[in-house]
Amino acid sequence: MKNAHNKITLTLLLGLCTLLLGACGQNTTNTTSSNTKTTDNSSNAKKHSTAKSFYSKNSSNQSSSVWNDTKDDKLASFMVTWGQTMKQSYTQCTPDRNTTYTGLHYPNDFSDNKTAFSNHKLSAGWSPDGSNKYKVNVVAIYEDTNGGSTIGGRIYLFTIQDHTPIVYYTEQNQGTPDGLVHFEPTQNTDLSNGFKNIVNSKKTATPKSATTKSSNKSGSSDTTADTNNQKFVFPSRMQGTWYTYTDGDKIQTVSFDGNLWKSMGKTDKAFEASKHPS
């Protein structure tokens, strides 16, 4: 009888142990599953946060860059309007489509390091985002070939120099003693201010009417015409930039452009003798 009682007690204890072990196993499984789920959620949240951070960083870089596609499109629209105002036609030039005016091929020609800015030979190159890679960082180029003529055309370089927007131009149609292509800052305030506003993400004013600008194709779009006096336009064979050496072996240039001549950094206008302004 005593042995039977002991057997019953042992059986009950074994059963109780089995139930306890089963419950512990279930709790362990649930805990592991819960921990795994929490880990997965944390991983997903981290991935989402990383992706969001990456997107925000890229968006910030795009909006804060000196030059981007949006600004490039705005300049393209501005040049169409400005060209119509000047009665000229401008073509955008890129590394895939270089300039052709008088045999110049920009931006590829920058690699020859034979470009001068305000009579200073400076490093220059194509910089589509405006980053400071060169002394003169070119973000856009436009040319007017004047119908393929060797005179009356011009090339404009839209640049960032020392973190400042500057528009340079050349009408050079022949070689020079120093073997350089010379660019000068534009004197056209509509063009220079328009470019500055685009770079600085400001509203760009509509270019003024052609009645207040030179609209003669042989003249420059880079200066303001005097509409109150009769201009004397220099003959076509004189148009362009001429170079000579001074006694000190320095290069001196004289440019004839429409009714303008430029020498020693000074620009003068020519008028008919009877119509010269007082």
Side-chain angles (χ1 to χ4, degrees):
M1 184 72 179
K2 183 176 181 180
N3 289 337
H5 176 74
N6 289 338
K7 287 182 180 179
I8 293 172
T9 302
L10 180 61
T11 301
L12 291 174
L13 288 173
L14 289 175
L16 180 61
C17 288
T18 301
L19 290 174
L20 289 174
L21 288 174
C24 289
Q26 184 176 1
N27 287 339
T28 302
T29 302
N30 291 339
T31 302
T32 303
S33 176
S34 177
N35 288 340
T36 302
K37 184 176 181 180
T38 302
T39 302
D40 289 343
N41 288 340
S42 298
S43 178
N44 290 336
K46 185 175 181 180
K47 289 179 181 179
H48 178 71
S49 176
T50 302
K52 184 177 181 180
S53 175
F54 180 78
Y55 175 79
S56 299
K57 184 177 181 181
N58 283 351
S59 299
S60 176
N61 288 340
Q62 172 73 4
S63 61
S64 63
S65 61
V66 176
W67 196 252
N68 53 42
D69 291 343
T70 300
K71 294 179 180 180
D72 196 60
D73 290 342
K74 289 182 179 180
L75 179 61
S77 298
F78 178 84
M79 288 302 293
V80 170
T81 303
W82 185 75
Q84 292 172 347
T85 300
M86 305 309 302
K87 298 187 184 303
Q88 295 163 346
S89 178
Y90 285 90
T91 300
Q92 185 176 18
C93 300
T94 67
D96 296 326
R97 195 280 185 194
N98 278 239
T99 62
T100 59
Y101 178 62
T102 63
L104 299 175
H105 302 95
Y106 285 100
N108 285 1
D109 283 355
F110 288 128
S111 62
D112 296 334
N113 197 26
K114 293 183 178 181
T115 306
F117 300 86
S118 300
N119 288 326
H120 296 285
K121 183 180 177 181
L122 302 175
S123 67
W126 186 252
S127 179
D129 60 356
S131 56
N132 196 28
K133 299 177 181 178
Y134 312 93
K135 288 290 186 180
V136 180
N137 302 281
V138 181
V139 299
I141 302 175
Y142 284 82
E143 74 170 348
D144 172 22
T145 62
N146 194 23
S149 174
T150 57
I151 60 173
R154 58 199 58 82
I155 298 173
Y156 282 98
L157 305 180
F158 295 83
T159 74
I160 306 297
Q161 184 177 355
D162 295 328
H163 307 287
T164 302
I166 301 177
V167 182
Y168 286 99
Y169 81 102
T170 187
E171 296 173 337
Q172 184 172 315
N173 58 1
Q174 59 180 327
T176 61
D178 61 1
L180 301 177
V181 179
H182 290 261
F183 284 83
E184 299 292 335
T186 181
Q187 298 178 28
N188 189 292
T189 55
D190 282 350
L191 184 59
S192 60
N193 289 338
F195 178 54
K196 289 177 182 177
N197 288 337
I198 292 173
V199 170
N200 296 321
S201 299
K202 295 181 180 179
K203 185 177 180 180
T204 303
T206 302
K208 296 179 182 179
S209 170
T211 57
T212 61
K213 295 285 182 180
S214 170
S215 59
N216 189 329
K217 285 295 288 187
S218 65
S220 175
S221 58
D222 212 63
T223 54
T224 302
D226 191 322
T227 57
N228 297 322
N229 301 284
Q230 183 64 42
K231 296 187 302 181
F232 169 80
V233 178
F234 290 102
S236 60
R237 64 180 179 275
M238 294 180 63
Q239 298 286 329
T241 304
W242 303 80
Y243 299 83
T244 185
Y245 280 109
T246 64
D247 293 338
D249 288 336
K250 292 184 178 181
I251 294 177
Q252 182 174 342
T253 63
V254 178
S255 300
F256 297 96
D257 187 10
N259 78 316
L260 308 174
W261 79 89
K262 308 173 187 178
S263 179
M264 305 294 289
K266 182 180 179 181
T267 300
D268 293 295
K269 298 179 181 180
F271 298 91
E272 296 289 350
S274 60
K275 299 290 185 180
H276 197 284
S278 56

